[in-house]
Amino acid sequence: MSDHARTLPGAGDGGRTPSDDTSRPANGPARHGGWPLWEVFVRPRRGLAHHHVGSLHAPDAELALRNARDLYTRRQEGVSIWVVPAAAITASSPDEKDAFFDPAADKVYRHPTFYEVPEGAPHL
Amino acid sequence: MRTTVDHLLALGDDALVAAQRLGEWVAAAPELEEDIALANIALDQLGAARMLLTYAGELEGAGRDEDALAYLRDDREFRNCLLVELPNGDFAVTMAKLLFLAAYQLPLYTALSGCADERLAAIAGKARKEVAYHLDHARLWTLRLGDGTAESHRRMQSAVDEIWPYTHELFQPDPTAPVDPAGLRAEFLAIVEPVLAEATLTRPADGWAPEGGRRGLHTEHLSYLLAEMQVLHRAHPGARW
Amino acid sequence: MHGHHSPVPGDGPASGLLDQVEEAEAALRAAAERGRPGAPDGHAVDADPQEYFTALIEADQKIEPRDWMPDAYRRTLIRQIAQHAHSEIIGMQPEGNWITRAPSLKRKAILLAKVQDEAGHGLYLYAAAETLGVSRDELVELLLAGRQKYSSIFNYPTLTWADVGAIGWLVDGAAIVNQVPLCRCSYGPYARAMIRICKEESFHQRQGFEILYTLAHGTPAQRQMAQDAVDRWWYPSLAMFGPPDRDSVHSAQSMAWKIKRFSNDELRQRFVDMCVPQAEVLGLRIPDPNLRWNPERQSYDFTPPDYAELMRVISGDGPCNRQRMARRRRAHTEGAWVREAAAAYAAKRAGRGPAATRPAARDGRAAA
């Protein structure tokens, strides 16, 4: 069974106090009124690889792509977008030792250097 | 066919009034992603309106710029179709209006992008790409609302029934126009009928066909819309913003 | 219409802020290149997770979603990021209030773009919060239930067009001063979202400044409109930085975790020092008779905002709290059938696969 990328590390850090203003974390894909979570990857026209730029909620792939285009590229032409259901992403093990792993090469979107603003974003 | 000021105003007013109505959805859309999408569409329509009105003003040669035309004409001088001035209603009504408007504007701008008037052709060429996107957006939602839940189906059918009569005006013949709208109806139907069918919606029968917008005879809605749009500009004559 | 020279704070403090954003971004890359503390092969197998977390923070490395983190760190971040997201969304209301009445088509377009950006910022921030294990749904419920807050500034009304300019200049300006340090926040997704947001916000501040400049150099009625707006928005903008340091109880831990990088009072002072020269360029008066350059501090002395009023507004009794929440709730409630329809449509497709839907029944009702 694949790990959802958003699964929390194990419960070793103790439970939450009930009066907290945060609810229990979602296990499995975070749903939002039936609109699951999607991760968005963008390759600007002159870029070499798709980069992870963020996430959004949408009920299906078609709307996810459209929303991603509006939100992360401001409808620039020539930009390639991938949307992937967050639930489809396999991440490394959620146990405590994960803290000591260097980011794996194929999880490059989690790497802190990886962030790029798509070219042509307004005001830049 | 020489482009006339009235033709440009009709095109520009359609876009301007459509943008104005879409702007009313800000902070009220069913989902944040939709707030962004509707604002995007409004911006596109507003952009086309600005180019068309600017051109109209220059062609008229009386010193009126885009703002003079948008803010200082009275209702009887506006040339938009009735469809765009109708209130937003619920989200289904807004999508029905957008579906029909975009399904009209797409073949219209496509034809105009090949017309003899180079400036109008250039404006149409840009608008055409944007309107294809608007049409797709409306199509996506028409499908989801028509074939979603019982409630959404009921609302979407009701919206389609309500707005359909206003589509006839879009195709009123005008042989003097750069593109005669009468020739566009077949393509319009070829776009919308399959969408309605796939959305499990009934295509309404043709019947009542309100019109008059191209001659400045509007519904009672336009006056309120313009009052809101124009009030601040008119309160400060000659001011720059 | 001929253009006139509208000086914008491009070469002034605002561009200094953009430089700081660039520096934060560069620091983020440099830290990643340094790699994480620990043994050369990257393993520190039996190290205590708390110690490792602390080492990461001290090394100015980023904590990422799948790292171990103290529960309180996670909770604090969720609350801070969520409230930031809620602020962007609620902030669309006071500004959106003037879209349909914008006095020129250019201003209408700019305002539409700005409000659209704010929705986008809210979405980036909700996405960042969700990496901490909470869903956007839960956060929206907390907002609508009044259990999570949004920036108090948005509980004030936009009474005139000039208010739109004042919000751009003062509120977005204050937000930038607050947010630039967050580009160095220890939590990776939040820092990255802030870098993106800060770059877009500088455009908003510039537009607000330009609106006010045009008004201040316009007709007497426009000048008066601009000054009136500044008179009403100045002190609430100062209050955006929160209570004074002596009354701010949670800051120490947030500072240690590098979630909060500067104190409320430090940021507030920075904001004042930035605005005074800008006000001079605008030709508008900041409504503070005690505003005065202090050569020993190399900063401006100023009258603090009314913190009792801030507390009242935060607790729900500002001019627009009820209206903002009602509007948000209404949008959410009225949108429910739309969201459900989209989910139902997707579910039907998942059930049926790529085959076409069944044709409509003769009476037009959806096929069940």
Side-chain angles (χ1 to χ4, degrees):
Chain A
M1 181 166 126
S2 67
D3 268 328
H4 172 48
R6 300 298 158 91
T7 306
L8 287 189
D13 56 5
R16 281 163 188 67
T17 58
S19 61
D20 221 282
D21 67 355
T22 61
S23 313
R24 296 187 59 75
N27 292 319
R31 301 201 65 88
H32 174 62
W35 288 31
L37 189 66
W38 303 73
E39 302 292 344
V40 181
F41 300 78
V42 167
R43 184 190 63 213
R45 176 181 282 156
R46 288 191 287 277
L48 293 175
H50 282 76
H51 298 289
H52 181 238
V53 292
S55 59
L56 51 80
H57 287 274
D60 58 63
E62 218 175 1
L63 272 184
L65 206 53
R66 165 170 301 271
N67 291 341
R69 200 176 307 158
D70 285 346
L71 180 59
Y72 287 107
T73 74
R74 306 307 170 111
R75 305 238 328 267
Q76 227 180 333
E77 287 189 20
V79 177
S80 168
I81 309 170
W82 292 347
V83 290
V84 182
I89 293 175
T90 302
S92 45
S93 164
D95 72 23
E96 288 171 4
K97 300 282 189 330
D98 184 54
F100 311 127
F101 287 13
D102 279 326
D106 65 331
K107 295 295 176 286
V108 66
Y109 72 88
R110 276 201 53 237
H111 200 284
T113 54
F114 143 72
Y115 188 86
E116 300 243 49
V117 177
E119 287 185 287
H123 83 273
L124 285 180
Chain B
M1 301 292 158
R2 244 188 78 250
T3 310
T4 68
V5 174
D6 265 359
H7 292 131
L8 290 172
L9 289 178
L11 293 169
D13 289 346
D14 280 355
L16 177 63
V17 175
Q20 181 73 4
R21 281 298 188 211
L22 286 169
E24 294 171 16
W25 273 104
V26 163
E31 192 50 89
L32 288 178
E33 286 85 353
E34 197 56 28
D35 264 309
I36 293 177
L38 293 177
N40 249 338
I41 295 173
L43 270 169
D44 285 347
Q45 293 277 351
L46 181 56
R50 293 182 64 195
M51 287 190 281
L52 291 160
L53 291 181
T54 299
Y55 185 19
E58 288 174 21
L59 202 58
E60 180 190 59
R64 293 205 280 186
D65 66 2
E66 60 180 8
D67 287 338
L69 289 168
Y71 292 95
L72 299 177
R73 277 183 298 153
D74 290 332
D75 328 15
R76 295 281 279 106
E77 299 170 81
F78 269 74
R79 295 280 170 266
N80 55 284
C81 60
L82 304 184
L83 183 149
V84 292
E85 70 197 43
L86 299 174
N88 282 326
D90 68 8
F91 189 69
V93 171
T94 293
M95 285 300 117
K97 290 175 64 190
L98 184 62
L99 177 69
F100 298 146
L101 177 68
Y104 155 71
Q105 287 179 327
L106 181 59
L108 174 64
Y109 284 135
T110 304
L112 283 172
S113 62
C115 80
D117 180 330
E118 276 178 19
R119 184 161 168 185
L120 179 54
I123 295 173
K126 177 173 193 287
R128 191 205 151 282
K129 278 190 273 198
E130 295 171 347
V131 157
Y133 187 83
H134 306 168
L135 175 60
D136 200 49
H137 192 81
R139 186 186 60 82
L140 288 183
W141 275 113
T142 302
L143 293 178
R144 281 151 184 74
L145 299 182
D147 193 16
T149 62
E151 178 178 8
S152 72
H153 179 91
R154 177 183 59 75
R155 286 180 184 249
M156 194 66 215
Q157 185 65 65
S158 161
V160 165
D161 292 343
E162 181 188 328
I163 305 300
W164 188 258
Y166 294 90
T167 62
H168 305 299
E169 181 190 26
L170 302 171
F171 307 102
Q172 269 181 333
D174 182 3
T176 70
V179 167
D180 187 341
L184 303 173
R185 188 163 196 249
E187 214 170 321
F188 167 82
L189 291 174
I191 295 171
V192 303
E193 283 172 344
V195 174
L196 295 178
E198 194 186 337
T200 74
L201 296 164
T202 308
R203 180 258 210 235
D206 295 337
W208 178 53
E211 62 83 41
R214 305 305 186 197
R215 298 192 308 287
L217 294 168
H218 291 278
T219 69
E220 290 176 350
H221 301 298
L222 184 66
S223 186
Y224 290 102
L225 181 151
L226 292 180
E228 186 173 339
M229 191 174 89
Q230 298 180 340
V231 64
L232 177 60
H233 182 101
R234 287 181 182 243
H236 300 264
R240 283 211 303 250
W241 301 95
Chain C
M1 273 197 294
H2 68 277
H4 59 270
H5 175 58
S6 296
V8 290
D11 298 327
S15 75
L17 290 173
L18 265 184
D19 290 340
Q20 288 174 50
V21 174
E22 305 275 339
E23 282 164 27
E25 203 171 7
L28 193 151
R29 287 175 216 263
E33 268 155 39
R34 281 200 304 277
R36 293 184 145 193
D41 62 357
H43 288 275
V45 174
D46 292 316
D48 174 50
Q50 170 73 65
E51 278 178 20
Y52 190 71
F53 170 83
T54 305
L56 284 176
I57 302 255
E58 279 170 11
D60 268 328
Q61 292 279 340
K62 298 305 173 199
I63 308 298
E64 294 296 347
R66 300 185 54 70
D67 289 334
W68 183 91
M69 61 187 79
D71 205 42
Y73 177 87
R74 183 187 304 277
R75 280 199 317 266
T76 299
L77 270 176
I78 287 175
R79 186 186 309 113
Q80 181 169 329
I81 298 173
Q83 294 191 159
H84 194 165
H86 299 325
S87 298
E88 296 281 352
I89 301 315
I90 299 292
M92 293 166 66
Q93 291 186 37
E95 297 199 72
N97 189 31
W98 284 91
I99 287 174
T100 55
R101 290 173 295 172
S104 75
L105 296 185
K106 174 180 157 189
R107 290 293 174 207
K108 193 194 286 285
I110 290 172
L111 191 50
L112 260 169
K114 182 182 196 227
V115 174
Q116 183 190 342
D117 279 354
E118 275 151 30
H121 295 170
L123 287 179
Y124 301 153
L125 289 165
Y126 284 127
E130 286 187 291
T131 65
L132 289 161
V134 67
S135 77
R136 202 210 300 179
D137 251 349
E138 297 168 85
L139 298 176
V140 167
E141 287 309 316
L142 288 166
L143 169 68
L144 295 183
R147 289 172 59 207
Q148 274 181 346
K149 303 275 178 205
Y150 53 91
S151 182
S152 56
I153 193 70
F154 297 121
N155 291 312
Y156 291 88
T158 47
L159 297 178
T160 73
W161 170 254
D163 289 40
V164 173
I167 287 182
W169 177 45
L170 295 174
V171 174
D172 287 336
I176 292 173
V177 168
N178 222 0
Q179 287 167 186
V180 164
L182 289 172
C183 296
R184 292 180 183 263
C185 166
S186 56
Y187 187 57
Y190 193 24
R192 290 191 288 274
M194 291 317 310
I195 288 171
R196 176 191 277 274
I197 288 172
C198 281
K199 289 176 174 176
E200 291 178 4
E201 293 269 345
S202 68
F203 159 73
H204 299 170
Q205 199 211 10
R206 194 169 300 209
Q207 293 304 329
F209 186 90
E210 195 189 75
I211 288 175
L212 285 179
Y213 187 88
T214 306
L215 293 173
H217 294 78
T219 68
Q222 286 179 304
R223 269 199 300 281
Q224 190 182 343
M225 195 197 293
Q227 185 60 63
D228 169 67
V230 169
D231 289 347
R232 284 182 288 103
W233 286 89
W234 174 251
Y235 286 106
S237 299
L238 291 186
M240 281 177 72
F241 295 95
D245 292 350
R246 62 176 187 273
D247 295 340
S248 183
V249 292
H250 297 297
S251 291
Q253 182 58 268
S254 289
M255 299 271 224
W257 281 332
K258 296 192 179 168
I259 294 174
K260 188 175 177 59
R261 310 290 297 219
F262 297 98
S263 77
N264 294 353
D265 289 340
E266 278 175 300
L267 292 176
R268 193 174 356 253
Q269 181 68 65
R270 196 179 288 188
F271 173 69
V272 173
D273 292 342
M274 186 178 90
C275 287
V276 173
Q278 290 176 348
E280 280 162 24
V281 171
L282 284 174
L284 293 170
R285 186 191 63 244
I286 290 177
D288 181 356
N290 297 324
L291 193 60
R292 167 175 316 114
W293 177 253
N294 183 322
E296 284 121 42
R297 295 194 310 114
Q298 284 291 296
S299 271
Y300 285 93
D301 291 337
F302 62 94
T303 307
D306 181 348
Y307 292 115
E309 178 186 325
L310 173 63
M311 289 303 126
R312 281 195 303 275
V313 174
I314 286 176
S315 70
D317 286 342
C320 295
N321 300 54
R322 289 161 177 78
Q323 173 193 331
R324 302 281 179 246
M325 291 303 301
R327 174 90 180 270
R328 190 74 226 120
R329 270 187 208 106
R330 193 167 60 239
H332 191 73
T333 305
E334 288 178 2
W337 69 269
V338 176
R339 297 190 298 271
E340 282 156 23
Y345 179 85
K348 286 189 212 182
R349 250 119 220 90
R352 290 184 204 152
T357 59
R358 283 172 277 162
R362 282 231 154 239
D363 63 1
R365 284 209 302 248

